[in-house]
Amino acid sequence: MAENGEEKLLAVARHIAKTLGHNDNMADDILQIFSNFDGRFSREKLASDDEDRPRSCAALELTLKSLDRQISQYVAADHPIWSDSADSSAFLDSIDELIATIRDWTPLAVDKSVGVCLARAEDLMQQAMFRLEDEFRSLVERGGESLELSRAYRGESNGNLSFDSGDDEEEEEMIGNGEDHQIPTAQPIGDYDIVIDALPSGTINDLHEIAKRMVTAGFGKECSHVYSSCRREFLEESLSRLGLHKLSIEEVQKTPWQDLEDEIERWIKSANVALRILFPSERRLCDRVFYGLSSAADLSFMEVCRGSTIQILNFADAVAIGSRSPERLFKILDVFESLRDLMPEFESVFSDQYCLFLRNEAMTIWKRLGEAIRGIFMELENLISRDPAKTPVPGGGLHPITRYVMNYLRAACRSRQTLEQVFEDSTAVSHQPKVDDRASSSSMSVQMAWIMELLESNLEAKSKIYRDSALCYVFMMNNSRYIVQKVRDSELGSLLGDDWIRKHTAKVRQYHVNYQRSSWNKVLGVLKLESGSLAPNVAVKSMKEKLKLFNIYFDEICKTQSNWVVFDDQLRDELRIALAKILLPAYQNFIGRFQSVPEIGRHDKYIKYANEDIEAKINDLFRGSRGSAGAGRK
């Protein structure tokens, strides 16, 4: 070995002299300097370049022959090399020597004979790498069979998501079906505070030693590929067992919404487990297997997680670009919030250069979900504006669109913080009016006020269907009262503000006043007594005629309005009390004067109603047909 080392040294000296010397004289001078520096570089030894070349190449051939013999026995072995620690150590030592030999002799490859030897060495290296690759794959697959989920408690659990065990019989069948290649998978879990030890520590150390050799020998990509192909199967199968189905964007969009709602629930659970447990565990495993080989670790991790990540993101993207139907809002909000809450995990887990495109894609799809939410509200606006004013609601009660919109907005406001974020990100609010002049109005406040305005305009158009103006006001009173109540008792109240509530409460009162005027002024008018003196016979005739008209008008109104609807008990009582206050005194006064006329006396045949009868008739108003008075209170 010492002789081989000296031959290598002399060969390197000759190579330097030949490379730096522009002519023979300069090369001789360089050789003389080497000779003066070290006795081993005598002119005789250095000058015998052509004669000693066969000797130096022979040393290389001798080394290669020895390495070929050592390595070939392992390459051809029909049993796993890593089943015996002595064999694995010897195999790695031989590879280390081969790597060093190629590295040391490569500078002399300009020599044709050395170049031929190095070509043989590279061929031997490739054979060794192929076998290492097989051993690497075998270790990953065998080590995965001992998968365990171990808890790594770090204070309180940071997650509380639970999974149903699902189809236990099906899972048992999958596990025990006798297949040769069974992918180990993560079992259902109760929180996120766990780490998956997918491979035993000893196996990880063995993989690390193999990875070092493969990367050093220039086979880092091959090592990453075999590693990622094995671990990728684990991830995909784990997500499948968690309930995440492999659906294309087209398949998601074709799925009936009711079924898609269930898929979204499974997606949320699976995405959280993947980003909070599976991917971080894979990152940890990659960093241990490829310790000190950061580029190989990053590449391997990206290849392991790319497919599963794209599967997760594609589902969210399909939801984002799907229908803008308003009923989809709440599930899309769930997807938006889940992806938003997972963005820190995307940033931390996919922090290297290879995973940059995954981070960017996650951010893009998250923003696309925000656009979808804004699009749904635009569709809601269109639904309100275009809802036709065709069939009037019986009795002037609550219109279905009023119930739908108000309950929809109340439910939406439970996600106020998220919607504030979504609308703040939007700059397309030019079509929306300002809210009351409040400087602090948020984009969401503006959005809610705009929808309220559209709803009010639509209801006003619908009120015009009623031929009876009094019923028109009852309809507006009912629907406006309902709107105000829903606003006051929810987050809508703080969004729209007290001024909005006061303004619309005043509108309800005005509708009340307008109803009384349009419906009862005619009745009150006939109860008015003429001022001045009239001839007795004229006065008697006039009062009899007025009382007759009152009875006719009062009967007609009571008969008609007893079928009208006032859904709110308090509002119904307010209407009756207010009506009694203006009608009973006028009627009592009229009857008193009527009975005081001598020509009439106390002949009750002209008086159809006593005060108690009038009051009872008033109390029968607004009951509606059976069941209609309470319709739509929710």
Side-chain angles (χ1 to χ4, degrees):
M1 292 299 291
E3 183 180 350
N4 288 343
E6 185 174 325
E7 292 296 336
K8 291 180 185 177
L9 191 61
L10 292 172
V12 169
R14 293 190 200 101
H15 177 69
I16 292 173
K18 185 175 284 188
T19 302
L20 299 179
H22 297 296
N23 52 53
D24 291 341
N25 291 334
M26 188 179 294
D28 287 341
D29 291 340
I30 293 173
L31 290 175
Q32 183 62 49
I33 293 172
F34 281 146
S35 178
N36 294 337
F37 177 73
D38 192 317
R40 289 176 295 176
F41 299 135
S42 64
R43 288 300 303 269
E44 292 75 15
K45 290 182 178 180
L46 290 171
S48 59
D49 187 7
D50 294 334
E51 296 176 4
D52 288 352
R53 184 179 292 114
R55 288 183 58 202
S56 62
C57 192
L60 175 57
E61 288 181 344
L62 186 64
T63 300
L64 290 178
K65 188 176 294 185
S66 174
L67 288 173
D68 191 359
R69 186 169 54 254
Q70 297 172 42
I71 290 174
S72 294
Q73 65 174 328
Y74 293 112
V75 170
D78 59 359
H79 63 277
I81 299 174
W82 260 256
S83 61
D84 187 307
S85 60
D87 285 344
S88 60
S89 296
F91 187 36
L92 291 179
D93 288 343
S94 299
I95 291 174
D96 288 340
E97 188 175 350
L98 180 59
I99 291 172
T101 299
I102 293 173
R103 182 187 64 238
D104 293 343
W105 284 93
T106 295
L108 306 178
V110 292
D111 186 294
K112 186 177 294 186
S113 59
V114 173
V116 171
C117 290
L118 287 175
R120 287 169 48 205
E122 292 290 353
D123 182 63
L124 181 61
M125 177 66 75
Q126 192 170 52
Q127 295 178 46
M129 290 298 109
F130 286 160
R131 183 57 194 253
L132 269 187
E133 185 177 318
D134 290 339
E135 294 292 325
F136 191 92
R137 178 183 291 104
S138 179
L139 282 171
V140 174
E141 292 175 350
R142 290 205 315 271
E145 294 174 0
S146 60
L147 168 70
E148 293 179 358
L149 293 180
S150 62
R151 296 187 175 273
Y153 289 104
R154 297 177 296 274
E156 293 185 0
S157 171
N158 59 3
N160 195 25
L161 188 61
S162 63
F163 292 83
D164 295 328
S165 59
D167 301 327
D168 294 335
E169 294 181 2
E170 182 180 347
E171 289 185 4
E172 290 174 6
E173 183 179 345
M174 291 173 64
I175 294 172
N177 59 8
E179 293 183 1
D180 294 334
H181 181 61
Q182 181 65 45
I183 303 296
T185 60
Q187 298 299 310
I189 56 172
D191 59 55
Y192 298 131
D193 200 11
I194 64 176
V195 173
I196 298 176
D197 290 328
L199 298 174
S201 181
T203 300
I204 293 174
N205 292 334
D206 290 338
L207 291 171
H208 174 62
E209 294 300 322
I210 294 176
K212 279 197 303 185
R213 272 69 176 191
M214 292 187 72
V215 171
T216 302
F219 286 78
K221 287 187 177 179
E222 289 79 0
C223 184
S224 293
H225 177 72
V226 67
Y227 173 85
S228 61
S229 64
C230 295
R231 296 304 305 163
R232 186 163 52 241
E233 291 182 34
F234 164 82
L235 267 186
E236 292 174 353
E237 184 67 15
S238 293
L239 288 176
S240 176
R241 291 284 289 278
L242 290 169
L244 185 64
H245 299 144
K246 275 193 174 182
L247 298 173
S248 66
I249 290 179
E250 293 75 16
E251 289 172 328
V252 172
Q253 293 182 334
K254 290 179 181 178
T255 302
W257 178 244
Q258 188 172 359
D259 296 336
L260 192 57
E261 287 183 311
D262 296 334
E263 289 290 341
I264 288 173
E265 287 297 321
R266 286 189 285 268
W267 178 88
I268 291 171
K269 295 175 182 179
S270 300
N272 274 280
V273 172
L275 269 297
R276 299 181 191 275
I277 298 176
L278 295 177
F279 292 167
S281 295
E282 289 300 324
R283 178 78 257 186
R284 177 172 173 265
L285 181 61
C286 266
D287 289 343
R288 293 178 67 190
V289 170
F290 296 97
Y291 179 74
L293 311 167
S294 59
S295 181
D298 294 342
L299 176 62
S300 299
F301 176 69
M302 184 275 291
E303 289 191 345
V304 169
C305 298
R306 176 177 54 187
S308 296
T309 306
I310 290 175
Q311 180 186 352
I312 290 170
L313 293 177
N314 278 351
F315 182 89
D317 197 23
V319 171
I321 64 179
S323 169
R324 297 289 193 266
S325 181
E327 72 268 12
R328 297 191 172 209
L329 172 67
F330 305 101
K331 283 299 180 183
I332 294 179
L333 275 170
D334 289 343
V335 177
F336 177 89
E337 290 172 344
S338 295
L339 199 53
R340 177 197 64 196
D341 295 343
L342 288 173
M343 288 309 300
E345 275 67 32
F346 273 99
E347 292 292 333
S348 62
V349 174
F350 299 127
S351 59
D352 60 83
Q353 58 177 344
Y354 290 106
C355 293
L356 176 62
F357 77 99
L358 292 175
R359 297 201 307 274
N360 291 341
E361 185 68 7
M363 180 63 69
T364 298
I365 292 172
W366 176 52
K367 290 182 177 179
R368 199 170 290 152
L369 285 163
E371 293 170 4
I373 292 169
R374 292 190 291 272
I376 287 175
F377 275 89
M378 291 181 66
E379 188 60 31
L380 177 65
E381 294 170 15
N382 293 333
L383 183 151
I384 296 170
S385 300
R386 297 170 184 171
D387 190 57
K390 292 182 178 179
T391 306
V393 176
L398 284 177
H399 197 280
I401 195 172
T402 307
R403 294 195 305 272
Y404 175 81
V405 171
M406 296 311 301
N407 286 305
Y408 186 92
L409 294 181
R410 279 168 58 94
C413 284
R414 294 178 191 137
S415 301
R416 176 178 176 176
Q417 183 178 359
T418 298
L419 289 174
E420 292 275 12
Q421 180 181 14
V422 168
F423 289 120
E424 287 299 329
D425 288 343
S426 172
T427 56
V429 294
S430 58
H431 67 289
Q432 299 170 339
K434 292 183 179 179
V435 183
D436 290 341
D437 298 325
R438 286 178 294 150
S440 60
S441 295
S442 67
S443 296
M444 186 179 175
S445 298
V446 173
Q447 178 69 49
M448 295 299 110
W450 174 239
I451 293 176
M452 291 290 99
E453 185 173 320
L454 291 174
L455 177 60
E456 188 174 3
S457 297
N458 183 270
L459 291 171
E460 287 175 354
K462 286 177 166 59
S463 72
K464 301 298 189 293
I465 304 175
Y466 297 103
R467 295 179 180 179
D468 190 328
S469 61
L471 185 54
C472 166
Y473 293 125
V474 168
F475 173 80
M476 290 303 299
M477 187 166 41
N478 269 316
N479 286 272
S480 297
R481 174 76 166 223
Y482 184 83
I483 290 170
V484 170
Q485 286 180 341
K486 290 293 183 179
V487 169
R488 183 184 285 120
D489 298 338
S490 69
E491 281 289 322
L492 284 168
S494 60
L495 280 168
L496 296 174
D498 293 337
D499 288 343
W500 189 97
I501 294 175
R502 280 193 293 269
K503 176 182 176 181
H504 285 77
T505 301
K507 281 189 175 184
V508 175
R509 288 197 296 268
Q510 188 59 49
Y511 291 135
H512 180 178
V513 171
N514 292 344
Y515 154 74
Q516 285 189 350
R517 288 174 179 171
S518 62
S519 188
W520 293 95
N521 275 4
K522 184 169 64 171
V523 176
L524 292 170
V526 301
L527 294 177
K528 284 185 178 180
L529 297 170
E530 288 84 354
S531 59
S533 60
L534 294 173
N537 61 332
V538 175
V540 169
K541 184 178 180 180
S542 173
M543 294 186 75
K544 286 181 179 179
E545 191 64 31
K546 283 178 178 288
L547 188 56
K548 181 179 178 181
L549 286 174
F550 171 82
N551 292 334
I552 292 172
Y553 292 160
F554 186 71
D555 285 344
E556 288 178 351
I557 291 176
C558 289
K559 181 180 179 180
T560 300
Q561 296 191 11
S562 63
N563 291 323
W564 290 4
V565 175
V566 174
F567 82 94
D568 182 72
D569 294 340
Q570 182 179 348
L571 179 59
R572 189 165 57 249
D573 289 341
E574 289 173 2
L575 284 170
R576 291 169 176 169
I577 291 169
L579 184 56
K581 281 184 177 180
I582 62 171
L583 185 59
L584 285 176
Y587 183 72
Q588 289 171 356
N589 184 46
F590 183 89
I591 294 299
R593 289 287 300 274
F594 182 77
Q595 290 177 333
S596 68
V597 176
E599 288 77 2
I600 298 176
R602 300 186 61 84
H603 295 285
D604 292 340
K605 64 178 181 178
Y606 297 105
I607 302 173
K608 185 175 181 179
Y609 296 110
N611 286 343
E612 295 79 10
D613 299 327
I614 297 292
E615 191 169 2
K617 282 281 189 179
I618 291 174
N619 287 334
D620 277 336
L621 298 177
F622 313 120
R623 293 191 181 277
S625 58
R626 176 175 293 183
S628 63
R633 296 187 184 185
K634 293 183 179 179

